[in-house]
Amino acid sequence: MTIIAIRGSGIAATGCAHILAGAGFRVAIEERRRPSVPTIMLSDPALRLIRGVFDRPDLFADQPRVKRRLVAWGGAPVMLPHDAALASEEQVQAALPSIAAFEAGPIDFTIHAASPAPLGDMHIFGERNAIAAKVTLRDPACIEEARIEAVAAGWLYLVPAEPGFGWLLGVGGSVDGLLGKSALIAPVVDAIGATSTAFPAAPRLQLPLHGDDWLACGTAALGFDPICGDGAAQSVREAILAAAVVIGMVDGGDRAALLTHYRSMLIAAMRRHLLLCAQFYANGGQGDWWRVQHDALMEGHHICTGLLARLPEPRFLLDGFRLAPRQVAA
């Protein structure tokens, strides 16, 4: 029986393990823990993906939800509709099904869903870290409301937690320093409690993304800027694609073509993300910090464009949890 080793403990690792175990593979799991993120905003597209992978249509149905966003980004505040569930990373991990690990025999293929990858480096497009802090909320309206604000040299993102409290993400400087420039978020925040250690907030791309007998997945492959709120959904998409590539190879598919398709899809996803982020950083502020971050994002977009230009057009389409040749899928 084919044995697939999976290194990691996050959504991508759990998703890969669940799909591959369901397809009849033996899965050897090597857990790799990292500091957990205090809160994750699960958009409806992300929820649909997670529920589909784990066949749990009610997953996170009882979690608190954000119903609107108040955004001050290079202009006057604007209220926008929003719909997303809130959960800590620990809650997400506890809700996902565990896969019984087998004693590893000879490993046929390894999915690295935790850094570092066996070869290469993580390329980072920008210089910015984030810090999360638990805060007391003054305004009861913030219970179902997220607030996002660009300031002189960074930005703030406030989401509710349990009643009376919220999590504040600060990017570009200390939370206190950013709040000192805030007109939207500072008035609704009281005491600052426990803070996280700084973690990277700039987009990141692992190169290479695979070898002949391994591939990188989840945050070991790509890291998204939290401004876009798509990190959880991207991890699930990567898990689905990684599992489909492994299934395709074991079924006798062209290994080189399947791995090349995986590489193309992930680089294309990063290219789209970089362009979207660049639009945010072009409009957030006029100072040096904003310009440096924008230029780094556009340089990354240029790099990804060059990488894709040297790769063939995608040859496969996803059909459930499997890849089909484009002409057959069509």
Side-chain angles (χ1 to χ4, degrees), residues 96-168:
L96 299 181
S98 59
I99 301 295
F102 291 89
E103 289 295 325
I107 299 299
D108 296 287
F109 196 86
T110 302
I111 296 173
H112 294 270
S115 295
L119 294 173
D121 297 294
M122 191 70 78
H123 297 253
I124 304 173
F125 306 116
E127 298 178 4
R128 54 191 180 276
N129 288 322
I131 297 174
K134 193 171 186 179
V135 296
T136 304
L137 300 176
R138 295 179 190 171
D139 190 342
C142 292
I143 294 299
E144 296 180 334
E145 178 180 287
R147 293 195 174 199
I148 309 168
E149 182 180 14
V151 296
W155 54 273
L156 293 159
Y157 198 170
L158 176 66
V159 296
E162 64 264 30
F165 294 92
W167 282 103
L168 179 62

Side-chain angles (χ1 to χ4, degrees), residues 161-230:
E162 64 264 30
F165 294 92
W167 282 103
L168 179 62
L169 185 71
V171 176
S174 69
V175 171
D176 285 332
L178 294 168
L179 279 174
K181 303 293 184 181
S182 165
L184 180 68
I185 291 176
V188 300
V189 170
D190 265 331
I192 297 177
T195 60
S196 71
T197 57
F199 55 93
R204 306 170 299 285
L205 171 64
Q206 166 66 34
L207 291 175
L209 284 161
H210 65 80
D212 287 340
D213 59 355
W214 65 271
L215 59 77
C217 186
T219 55
L222 304 184
F224 276 8
D225 189 309
I227 192 62
C228 293
D230 195 38

Side-chain angles (χ1 to χ4, degrees), residues 18-61:
H18 189 78
I19 294 169
L20 291 172
F25 293 82
R26 292 181 64 184
V27 178
I29 299 174
E30 180 185 348
E31 289 194 352
R32 292 293 180 96
R33 295 289 177 181
R34 55 171 174 74
S36 60
V37 177
T39 189
I40 298 174
M41 191 177 296
L42 296 167
S43 66
D44 284 341
L47 285 172
R48 284 193 292 272
L49 281 168
I50 295 172
R51 289 166 175 171
V53 167
F54 297 103
D55 195 23
R56 290 276 306 280
D58 61 340
L59 197 61
F60 306 119

